[in-house]
Amino acid sequence: MANKSTADKVATIQKGYALEGATIELGAAIVDGELHKDAPVRLPLSMMNRHGLVAGATGTGKTVTLHMMAEQLSTAGVPVFLADIKGDLSGLATAATGSDKLAKRTESIGQAWSGKTFPVEFLALGGDGDGIPVRATITSFGPILLSRVLELNDTQESSLQLVFHFADKNNLELVDLKDLRAVIQFLISDEGKEALKELGGLSKATAGVILRELVTLEAQGMERFFGEPEFDTAELLRTAPDGRGVISCLELPTLQTKPMVFSTFLMWLLADLFEDLPEAGDLDKPKLVFFLDEAHLLFNDASKAFLEAITTTVRLIRSKGVGIFFVTQTPKDVPADVLGQLANRVQHALRAFTPEDAKALKATVSTFPVSDYDLEETLTSAGIGEAVITVMNERGAPTPVALTRLRAPESVMGPSTAELVRSTVAGSALLAKYGTAVDNVSAYEKLTGKAAAPTGAAAPGQPPVPSPEIFVPGSPDPTAIDNEARRIEEEILGRPSSRQSGGEPSSSQPAPPPPARRQAPQSGGMMDDITGALGGVFGSGLKSMARSMGTQLGRELLRGVFGTSSRRRR
């Protein structure tokens, strides 16, 4: 390798990046200190669901790199999700203006540059900012992710899972923090001590610890992140009328001091997509590319269950057409099981000022294929806007390592004006759907007997929730439903049903808490999913049976790898 001429090294890069399908143009290769615009470095669009890593020291240009990649993905019709931690990605909505310096740079790498705007949807976690509010229900968020936010230990996390199990089984909807608090308060009360005893692994002391953490979270103002209407992650998969992919930009203006909250919410978005999207196999281009900035925050002090769930999600979401790019400082920030699944690498400069830095540098070099570069020297001497790159080619093999001068973004590298952001949000079709928080009847109201607090007009599409005391004309009688379900169950199974006549639960099933009242069945949620699937396979008879069994099955939720649930009341 040391005897190869510059021309041979350039030819190796040219051959390695001579790709046939659609690509993301990353820049031009630098070989032996010289820039070669005839040696372009590219990333196959079809391989972006093999995930990737954008790494480098602070100030080396990681944010500009993902900005540039997001522009090209949008142009190719691929939706993009970005977390705007520093507040400068909103510039995607504003066309950049040229300059002599910019023209010289773009010409040197063979980039035909022109200022452009891109279709951006501004989101804000819990409405904390100017964007469309993004909320999650506690039920959907699940116990593993919530334990991460509450910073619970493994024992407390297991106990919280029992609380969720109890709520799921007894049809107590956990929409916001006050719902979960009400369920725990019930379990440690005299009225709920029998139910607490049946849960076995949940002690009154541990329940009290979780309750105190919830109160602390509410005191920090975190309650606004949980509630309804819950954000539908399918909104991240939209394209603009002109065919370009919509770039969903999540504002995080005040959450830099609460990194655990925003990093966990980003993982909820991914987990929700994972549960909802169908298998897609290999596609010409991904359905969505998800950039997960400050990725090291996900893994700091993470529990074993949380790390296993991340690893499983990253491994399996590829087949659903979603690509994930982790953005962090060094590959050491990402666990080995996750790092091994990241086929596309964009490594900006690293600094080696301390022994720890030097150790991280050696570890980074060891993760790259053998190359014509002295990577230790290259990674410490690369300039701003340059990166060492290797990606997966269309045959599934790694491309040659190439020090690359990266393309310049065509929109503003900085924030758009506040007026532009606000006008974009005001004109968004999502504002009417998610702009107004609603407080429907859920566990808190059922356990306390209190009516839901008024919250203003519901978002469009939210059905009115009847009070348990109000008779709804045409609603089925619960006893008749249970008796019919018992009869059908016996016919199908050929043995006596475990369900007692008259709609009473058998002694083997824990009774719902006394304050909870039976509501008229609501449309949507898990039962519609089950009946749709069963109806399609076996016909309307079994579909009808599944609906009839709703009073029992409706209490059980199917939870995903993070303990999340796709059952929603939108």
Side-chain angles (χ1 to χ4, degrees), residues 522-537:
Q522 299 178 26
S523 62
M526 187 187 73
M527 279 309 301
D528 277 2
D529 295 339
I530 291 175
T531 56
L534 294 178
V537 177

Side-chain angles (χ1 to χ4, degrees), residues 82-336:
L82 300 167
D84 192 4
I85 294 173
K86 292 178 289 217
D88 50 7
L89 288 173
S90 63
L92 283 155
T94 305
T97 55
S99 67
D100 292 340
K101 182 179 178 181
L102 178 62
K104 183 177 179 181
R105 177 186 176 91
T106 55
E107 192 280 331
S108 71
I109 62 174
Q111 178 184 359
W113 187 93
S114 63
K116 296 177 184 175
T117 61
F118 294 85
V120 181
E121 187 75 73
F122 294 106
L123 308 175
L125 201 53
D128 185 17
D130 294 323
I132 305 297
V134 174
R135 307 180 188 88
T137 63
I138 293 290
T139 284
S140 173
F141 206 69
I144 296 177
L145 292 176
L146 187 59
S147 296
R148 178 79 171 147
V149 172
L150 296 174
E151 301 184 52
L152 303 180
N153 61 34
D154 290 348
T155 300
Q156 293 160 351
E157 179 181 311
S158 299
S159 298
L160 185 61
Q161 292 185 45
L162 290 175
V163 174
F164 271 74
H165 171 73
F166 174 80
D168 292 348
K169 202 171 185 64
N170 291 288
N171 206 25
L172 294 171
E173 301 88 346
L174 302 177
V175 173
D176 49 28
L177 288 178
K178 76 175 185 300
D179 290 320
L180 183 56
R181 181 160 40 84
V183 170
I184 296 175
Q185 286 173 333
F186 169 77
L187 287 172
I188 61 178
S189 68
D190 291 339
E191 192 175 15
K193 61 184 178 182
E194 287 302 317
L196 182 67
K197 184 178 179 181
E198 288 179 3
L199 286 177
L202 177 62
S203 71
K204 188 171 183 178
T206 302
V209 170
I210 298 172
L211 187 60
R212 287 195 296 273
E213 293 297 334
L214 285 174
V215 172
T216 301
L217 201 65
E218 287 181 293
Q220 294 173 348
M222 296 295 104
E223 75 279 355
R224 64 180 176 274
F225 303 138
F226 298 99
E228 291 180 315
E230 182 176 76
F231 186 77
D232 186 347
T233 51
E235 312 285 7
L236 302 179
L237 304 175
R238 293 176 301 137
T239 55
D242 61 5
R244 291 184 297 171
V246 171
I247 301 173
S248 298
C249 187
L250 181 66
E251 298 176 78
L252 300 164
T254 64
L255 283 181
Q256 294 186 44
T257 57
K258 304 179 182 72
M260 194 76 74
V261 175
F262 84 73
S263 64
T264 309
F265 257 88
L266 296 187
M267 207 63 229
W268 169 73
L269 290 172
L270 269 181
D272 198 69
L273 283 166
F274 174 74
E275 297 299 332
D276 283 357
L277 287 176
E279 291 291 323
D282 291 327
L283 304 172
D284 291 336
K285 61 183 181 181
K287 293 181 179 179
L288 172 72
V289 174
F290 197 103
F291 288 94
L292 219 164
D293 207 352
E294 302 293 341
H296 64 281
L297 297 172
L298 271 178
F299 307 110
N300 290 346
D301 302 318
S303 69
K304 182 180 178 181
F306 187 77
L307 290 176
E308 288 176 349
I310 292 176
T311 303
T312 300
T313 301
V314 172
R315 186 174 69 250
L316 299 180
I317 203 170
R318 178 196 69 78
S319 64
K320 300 192 175 190
V322 176
I324 307 169
F325 276 70
F326 293 87
V327 184
T328 188
Q329 294 198 4
T330 74
K332 281 184 60 181
D333 296 334
V334 182

